[in-house]
Amino acid sequence: MEEQYNIQINKTENSRIGEIDFNNLAFGRTFSDHMFVVDYENGEWGTPQIIPFQNLSFSPALISLHYGQTVFEGLKAFRDKDGVVSAFRPEEHAIRINKSAERLCLPTIPEDLFLEGLYKLLEVDNEWVPKQEGCSLYIRPLLFASEEFLGVSPTPSKCKFVIFASPVGSYYSGAIKVLVETEYVRAAEGGIGFAKAGGNYAASLLPTKQAVEKGYQQLLWTDAKEHKYIEEAGTMNIMFQIGDTLVTPATSTSILSGITRKSVVALAKKWGYKIEERKVSVDELVEAHKQGLLKDAFGTGTAATITQISHIGYNGVDYELPPVEGREFSNRASDYLQKLKDGQEEDYMNWMVKL
Ligand SMILES: *Cc1c(COP(=O)(O)O)cnc(C)c1O
């Protein structure tokens, strides 16, 4: 990519990299040496900078703290077996943060600025991309209203865009038990469910906590109107295999359009599987299970890529799914994506952007 922005770089003199045990990385608690920052004020983006990772300081009147005007992204960079660093579909994340931003009345970020900031940060903090297999550098772009003001405003006079990064280990959790949620909702049609916004996460915490107390790891969210149709699995998109057809809820204003979901749908098509993006009702799943046709269920998302589901709880019954070993499609997709990121598979979809 041609550089268009003059990113100012101020490197730290005290790298923390020596303090990190890359063989024991806990998720999201250690951060790389630098961060990318750019401020929006008076209707325009200012000078982009890479600075040492540091605290930000604000008045308690920071409007995003009060009114939730904040959106984010999550993507990963990997180091392949030859040591080359690449990011998985970064342009998609640059596009999506702007869809989220528009819904929450935040200024959009020029895609090139997002990408240039990201690539420059990866260049400066290259050593932070783990070499260990299955590990990655998790990247968190964050955009929020940074005006200090108690009024509610669709045009905050100040906003901040930050990209910072955290080295993470492999996230494999084993197959999970999920519970169909029929009382609470994560997001309603017309709301902000499709945006990657903090408020959606806040809405999901209490119901998820209650499901965990009942022995499940995640919820299967249903539609807000009738609690009849499946929407997402926790903070992942969801896919089923009914007979020989893969089925995933069509995206809507209450479903986040995952880049992993989009990638898995594209792989299914490429590999010649039947795949449908449409409404999936809980009744359809129960009926398919009765007939022995519910072959697979799995969540998709950047954190764990593919998370297979072992049981679906609904109305006091735990519907058990076939053993994960025999699940052809989700194992194949999971394996392909893992190896692709480690540079052991051909990138025939052109998803990896090499630095
Ligand atoms: C981030 C997210 C996903 C997964 O999106 P990816 O782009 O695949 O990481 C799914 N659902 C929700 C609610 C999310 O926030």
Side-chain angles (χ1 to χ4, degrees):
M1 204 172 87
E2 284 266 320
E3 290 189 11
Q4 290 184 45
Y5 296 92
N6 188 11
I7 301 176
Q8 290 183 358
I9 300 179
N10 167 13
K11 285 195 196 172
T12 178
E13 281 167 19
N14 303 299
S15 171
R16 286 172 283 104
I17 199 158
E19 301 162 20
I20 310 298
D21 178 2
F22 279 88
N23 294 306
N24 281 299
L25 293 167
F27 182 84
R29 294 205 185 271
T30 43
F31 305 103
S32 70
D33 282 329
H34 298 90
M35 62 195 206
F36 173 77
V37 196
V38 55
D39 286 303
Y40 179 91
E41 210 172 337
N42 304 322
E44 58 184 312
W45 290 102
T47 307
Q49 289 178 288
I50 301 249
I51 56 174
F53 181 85
Q54 60 193 260
N55 291 346
L56 301 171
S57 157
F58 297 108
S59 131
L62 184 76
I63 62 180
S64 56
L65 283 180
H66 298 257
Y67 309 121
Q69 225 169 344
T70 167
V71 299
F72 66 96
E73 272 304 321
L75 71 157
K76 285 178 171 176
F78 304 85
R79 188 181 298 281
D80 72 16
K81 56 183 187 333
D82 302 320
V84 177
V85 169
S86 23
F88 185 72
R89 309 193 76 175
E91 301 96 339
E92 295 284 336
H93 293 272
I95 294 169
R96 189 171 66 188
I97 198 167
N98 284 336
K99 290 188 180 150
S100 301
E102 278 169 9
R103 180 64 181 81
L104 277 87
C105 287
L106 286 161
T108 56
I109 303 149
E111 280 164 35
D112 287 343
L113 177 58
F114 178 108
L115 293 171
E116 221 172 288
L118 170 66
Y119 299 154
K120 193 58 86 180
L121 180 65
L122 284 173
E123 193 183 305
V124 172
D125 278 346
N126 184 283
E127 288 304 310
W128 286 83
V129 184
K131 298 171 179 64
Q132 289 74 3
E133 204 178 310
C135 297
S136 58
L137 187 66
Y138 181 85
I139 300 154
R140 172 53 61 90
L142 172 70
L143 168 65
F144 60 99
S146 55
E147 188 177 353
E148 293 157 333
F149 173 46
L150 281 183
V152 178
S153 164
T155 50
S157 68
K158 281 167 71 183
C159 296
K160 205 174 197 63
F161 177 60
V162 185
I163 308 179
F164 61 103
S166 172
V168 296
S170 69
Y171 196 87
Y172 185 68
S173 63
I176 61 167
K177 280 179 80 169
V178 296
L179 177 66
V180 176
E181 176 61 68
T182 54
E183 189 189 333
Y184 292 109
V185 293
R186 185 192 84 90
E189 275 206 48
I192 61 166
F194 72 91
K196 222 167 169 66
N200 290 322
Y201 281 69
S204 72
L205 296 175
L206 177 66
T208 306
K209 176 172 162 248
Q210 293 176 358
V212 168
E213 282 160 8
K214 292 179 197 151
Y216 299 88
Q217 279 92 43
Q218 281 297 350
L219 286 172
L220 272 194
W221 298 106
T222 52
D223 71 282
K225 235 186 232 164
E226 302 176 272
H227 290 298
K228 201 171 153 185
Y229 299 100
I230 302 285
E231 302 235 299
E232 299 204 47
T235 57
M236 297 181 287
N237 293 111
I238 175 88
M239 214 170 273
F240 302 96
Q241 186 183 333
I242 300 174
D244 60 4
T245 305
L246 295 163
V247 187
T248 185
T251 54
S252 71
T253 51
S254 59
I255 295 179
L256 189 124
S257 180
I259 292 155
T260 318
R261 173 191 180 280
K262 186 174 177 179
S263 307
V264 170
V265 168
L267 284 178
K269 288 180 179 162
K270 166 105 184 154
W271 294 340
Y273 287 83
K274 270 190 266 178
I275 178 151
E276 295 173 0
E277 296 179 63
R278 60 167 170 81
K279 284 190 190 254
V280 188
S281 70
V282 185
D283 290 346
E284 178 184 359
L285 295 178
V286 170
E287 190 52 38
H289 187 272
K290 261 189 210 148
Q291 295 177 10
L293 294 173
L294 188 58
K295 307 282 189 201
D296 200 353
F298 56 94
T300 64
T302 294
T305 311
I306 286 184
T307 304
Q308 290 163 320
I309 290 167
S310 63
H311 298 79
I312 299 175
Y314 177 58
N315 267 347
V317 181
D318 275 341
Y319 296 92
E320 188 174 354
L321 277 86
V324 294
E325 300 77 44
R327 302 192 194 176
E328 187 192 296
F329 178 76
S330 58
N331 286 329
R332 182 174 174 192
S334 171
D335 199 57
Y336 175 78
L337 290 169
Q338 188 58 55
K339 289 194 172 138
L340 174 69
K341 293 162 181 176
D342 285 334
Q344 302 171 45
E345 271 284 359
E346 193 199 330
D347 185 14
Y348 44 72
M349 308 298 268
N350 266 318
W351 287 337
M352 304 302 290
V353 174
K354 282 193 180 148
L355 290 216

